[in-house]
Amino acid sequence: MKDGLATVDGLKQTDIYQRYTAKKKLAVILLGLLIAIVAVFAVNAGSTNLNPAQVMQTIFGKGSNISDIVVWQIRLPRILAAVIAGAGLSVAGCVMQNNLRNPLASPSTLGISNAAAFGANVAIIVFGAGSIQSTSADAVAINNPYVVTFSAFIWSMAAAFAILLLARFKGFSPEAMVLAGVALSSLFSAGTILIQYFAQDVQVAAVVFWTFGDLGRAAWNEVIILAVLTGASFIYFMFRRWDYNALDCGEETAKSLGVHVENIRLGGVFISSLITAVAVSFLGIIGFIGLVGPQIMRRVIGSDHRYLIPSSALMGALLLLVSDTLARTVISPVVLPVGVITSFFGAPLFLYLLARGYQKK
Amino acid sequence: MKLTVEGLAFKYPSRHVLNDINFTLSKGEFLAILGVNGAGKSTLLKCINRVLKPHKGSVFINEDEVFRLSRRDLAKRIGYVAQRQESSRATVFDAVLLGRKPYIQWEATKKDMEIAQNAMKILKLEDYALRYLNELSGGEQQKVVIARALAQEPEILLLDEPTSSLDLKNQLEVAGIIKSVVKNQEMSAIVTMHDLNLALRFADKFMLVKNGTIFAAGGLEVITPENIESVYSVPVKIHEIDHVPIVVPL
């Protein structure tokens, strides 16, 4: 009896459908190529003039001492950090938007960014991890970055756990989780303001500088940690892509299709929070990518998570890489805060896409 | 295949919704669940496939306790269509292919796509394959979700008011499709309905639900003016036109 469903004449619709999905695969591949091209340009760009040939020589171990340092110690980690953090934040936003059933959800929705900022404030102001640096380039510096990173991470994970526990044991709906996130955000902002109110000028300067977000903070260690975490999370998300598609049809339907809705949601939100917490702790607050990366791709490629997850990751990587490259080159040698460029560059693009509506086919 | 529901009960903290529900359903039967709004019809459907967790009772498919099956295995045996649909930015083919979710390991196979295609064919959706859900009419969307449930190749279909938001033509079409699928694919269907006459025309079993309990259940014989008046508090007369009973409110 059931074989009746599989044996029908003609494969017209499946052929048409496969052609349609092939286009999406192509879009993902093209986006990846675009990132590779921008990355090459980004390695070249900067105040030490190197041409592409010198860059390639250096990467293959035949560069001069200066180009070795510039490429290997400064530019490559920075570019990789942009690509990986951009991808991580964006894919985290993509999963949060799906899991929390809210188009406004992003890595900062659950109060994670504000909690990280609060953690940095605690470290710099309360524990004195920040101080004055006497160079003209930076008025302030953070003389114990590991304490700051650690504190930011601990507080952001505390925020995430608070919400996950409420969801797990008090049965919070996605809507309640988002509202709880807003409440926690406001709580951590208030805590931050209170700490800053009683701090010295230089400490406040140091912490404001931290919150700007700077990809230059990433050395190879940070890049590797981010890469392993983002890579592993990406694989987990891809394994769950059909579950996320089912969740788009509503919770009850997802359950009837065999999805463990609560477990999938707790897992997705936890891993997204972890990526965000690590990225923000290492690099400072980089807003907007997590909201706008997946939302751009939703409009371009549709909401099928088989393609939305990889393309959101790539779009986030591209946005952050382009933003950082602009930040380094627009008024070189001054490096602008990358978060500012992300919004200046991403917001108009996003507004344009919103105005244009969804792409047909 | 035989579905057995034994002593099913469900309550929200403040009130009982279902109480001591017992019935069986055999292969090829089309059961219409009838009753006023809030009688517990939707809750009953959701308890059968564990979308809601009943607080008492058990459900068996043949010898298998539904509550002991994994969600994935259960989804291979029971297809469910909720009362309200959320339309996302997905194509009709995407949506129907999702019915293969319980079978898909990593990626949809050729066979999965062929089954999805055939489910679309049964619902006459072939020309809609690449249309977006959020650009379809209510009736078309309803057909898409029924096609998705068919793509699950279930033994039992649970449909929550599949015809309520449809126009006359679509009501007849969808109810007819459900009836023919039940016969041809040897499934069983449990369908909550508000339109008594549509139920009388297509279903072969009837269950009248009142205040969370079964008021009457069985074949056409339970559809009497007395029973209907007790359940709906509306006096009715039943006429027969072309061998189809018609309920006419007085």
Side-chain angles (χ1 to χ4, degrees):
Chain A
M1 61 161 212
K2 289 197 169 166
D3 294 349
L5 277 182
T7 53
V8 269
D9 47 273
L11 297 172
K12 208 163 148 264
Q13 275 72 37
T14 60
D15 291 342
I16 294 170
Y17 183 66
Q18 280 175 314
R19 218 169 296 156
Y20 162 77
T21 52
K23 271 192 212 162
K24 295 190 178 188
K25 282 179 201 156
L26 184 67
V28 173
I29 293 168
L30 288 178
L31 204 50
L33 283 176
L34 188 58
I35 291 173
I37 293 166
V38 176
V40 170
F41 176 78
V43 180
N44 292 334
S47 45
T48 309
N49 281 317
L50 295 173
N51 61 43
Q54 283 173 308
V55 170
M56 292 320 273
Q57 280 171 357
T58 314
I59 287 176
F60 291 108
K62 291 177 187 152
S64 64
N65 285 343
I66 293 175
S67 64
D68 259 354
I69 291 171
V70 169
V71 171
W72 280 104
Q73 298 307 320
I74 299 174
R75 290 195 191 156
L76 268 186
R78 184 180 187 113
I79 284 156
L80 285 174
V83 169
I84 296 162
L89 290 170
S90 182
V91 86
C94 172
V95 169
M96 291 251 194
Q97 284 161 16
N98 170 272
N99 283 198
L100 297 174
R101 324 261 317 112
N102 191 321
L104 277 177
S106 77
S108 40
T109 309
L110 297 187
I112 295 165
S113 297
N114 279 347
F118 175 75
N121 274 274
V122 170
I124 292 170
I125 297 171
V126 181
F127 296 113
S131 73
I132 306 169
Q133 192 184 36
S134 55
T135 65
S136 55
D138 289 336
V140 286
I142 291 159
N143 58 10
N144 200 341
Y146 291 106
V147 173
V148 181
T149 301
F150 185 71
S151 177
F153 178 74
I154 292 295
W155 283 99
S156 50
M157 284 316 287
F161 270 114
I163 288 169
L164 286 167
L165 289 176
L166 287 169
R168 177 73 185 78
F169 295 107
K170 289 284 164 194
F172 269 35
S173 66
E175 195 184 26
M177 287 168 80
V178 172
L179 290 173
V182 172
L184 280 184
S185 282
S186 139
L187 186 65
F188 282 114
S189 310
T192 301
I193 292 168
L194 191 67
I195 291 176
Q196 290 181 352
Y197 188 77
F198 292 105
Q200 298 163 10
D201 297 356
V202 284
Q203 290 175 322
V204 175
V207 83
V208 166
F209 175 75
W210 183 90
T211 45
F212 277 161
D214 177 10
L215 292 162
R217 282 175 215 162
W220 281 106
N221 279 343
E222 283 84 358
V223 169
I224 289 166
I225 294 172
L226 263 178
V228 169
L229 180 71
T230 305
S233 307
F234 181 79
I235 291 168
Y236 171 83
F237 291 149
M238 283 304 279
F239 264 102
R240 291 277 164 250
R241 66 203 191 288
W242 289 97
D243 296 288
Y244 299 152
N245 282 346
L247 263 179
D248 269 347
C249 304
E251 257 179 63
E252 292 177 351
T253 301
K255 280 185 184 174
S256 76
L257 289 168
V259 179
H260 273 281
V261 173
E262 290 81 7
N263 293 356
I264 295 292
R265 177 174 295 138
L266 288 178
V269 172
F270 172 72
I271 292 174
S272 312
S273 304
L274 187 63
I275 298 179
T276 311
V278 172
V280 171
S281 308
F282 282 157
L283 305 171
I285 290 170
I286 299 167
F288 205 51
I289 295 266
L291 172 71
V292 87
Q295 286 295 2
I296 287 173
M297 290 323 294
R298 246 175 245 285
R299 277 159 181 79
V300 174
I301 213 167
S303 53
D304 183 343
H305 286 78
R306 287 181 290 168
Y307 310 103
L308 183 60
I309 291 173
S311 64
S312 294
L314 291 172
M315 180 48 77
L318 183 66
L319 281 175
L320 196 53
L321 182 59
V322 170
S323 302
D324 184 56
T325 309
L326 286 176
R328 289 194 293 130
T329 51
V330 170
I331 49 168
S332 171
V334 175
V335 178
L336 292 170
V338 68
V340 174
I341 305 287
T342 322
S343 295
F344 268 133
F345 167 71
L349 175 65
F350 189 45
L351 286 174
Y352 164 73
L353 285 167
L354 277 178
R356 196 191 62 162
Y358 285 96
Q359 194 183 40
K360 301 283 167 196
K361 296 286 144 69
Chain B
M1 197 289 304
K2 188 174 187 189
L3 176 79
T4 312
V5 175
E6 280 177 4
L8 206 66
F10 180 86
K11 62 175 180 181
Y12 287 116
S14 56
R15 74 185 182 100
H16 284 269
V17 183
L18 290 177
N19 247 325
D20 196 27
I21 301 283
N22 298 284
F23 68 93
T24 61
L25 188 72
S26 304
K27 192 153 83 177
E29 288 183 332
F30 182 151
L31 169 68
I33 301 185
L34 307 166
V36 295
N37 290 325
K41 305 187 295 294
S42 301
T43 309
L44 174 54
L45 287 192
K46 289 177 199 174
C47 285
I48 291 174
N49 76 337
R50 248 166 70 195
V51 165
L52 288 176
K53 194 169 178 290
H55 91 138
K56 254 200 283 189
S58 29
V59 177
F60 294 90
I61 306 174
N62 297 332
E63 306 302 314
D64 300 322
E65 223 310 14
V66 160
F67 303 106
R68 290 179 195 279
L69 294 174
S70 72
R71 274 216 182 277
R72 182 187 270 260
D73 287 337
L74 186 58
K76 292 177 183 172
R77 306 184 75 170
I78 303 183
Y80 168 73
V81 171
Q83 201 175 111
R84 270 179 286 274
Q85 308 307 330
E86 298 192 26
S87 65
S88 65
R89 190 69 181 171
T91 63
V92 170
F93 202 116
D94 287 325
V96 177
L97 189 60
L98 206 51
R100 301 303 296 164
K101 162 87 185 64
Y103 301 87
I104 291 172
Q105 295 299 334
W106 172 254
E107 193 46 82
T109 62
K110 190 100 184 155
K111 184 179 171 222
D112 290 322
M113 289 196 216
E114 284 166 19
I115 291 168
Q117 174 185 294
N118 199 34
M120 288 195 301
K121 190 177 169 177
I122 292 171
L123 274 296
K124 301 191 179 74
L125 289 167
E126 294 113 311
D127 297 337
Y128 294 77
L130 293 189
R131 291 269 296 275
Y132 287 106
L133 289 183
N134 54 7
E135 292 170 0
L136 298 182
S137 73
E140 289 158 349
Q141 287 187 17
Q142 195 65 42
K143 289 183 193 172
V144 172
V145 289
I146 294 173
R148 183 190 65 216
L150 288 183
Q152 284 173 255
E153 296 189 314
E155 296 162 50
I156 300 158
L157 275 178
L158 304 177
L159 308 174
D160 201 351
E161 294 184 20
T163 53
S164 296
S165 62
L166 305 184
D167 61 38
L168 183 63
K169 176 173 179 286
N170 276 306
Q171 280 186 6
L172 293 171
E173 194 180 342
V174 166
I177 288 167
I178 296 166
K179 188 179 175 76
S180 72
V181 163
V182 165
K183 295 285 172 267
N184 299 336
Q185 313 285 344
E186 302 185 22
M187 296 179 188
S188 318
I190 306 180
V191 185
T192 65
M193 290 175 123
H194 278 308
D195 186 333
L196 288 170
N197 290 321
L198 200 64
L200 284 170
R201 186 160 168 170
F202 290 98
D204 39 33
K205 296 277 173 183
F206 305 89
M207 182 192 291
L208 294 168
V209 178
K210 188 181 180 184
N211 297 330
T213 55
I214 297 177
F215 181 80
L220 261 183
E221 74 279 359
V222 301
I223 306 295
T224 62
E226 297 74 31
N227 282 350
I228 303 245
E229 187 173 349
S230 306
V231 169
Y232 288 94
S233 313
V234 175
V236 298
K237 247 185 178 172
I238 297 181
H239 297 287
E240 195 162 302
I241 301 176
D242 294 342
H243 309 293
V244 181
I246 305 285
V247 177
V248 183
L250 293 176

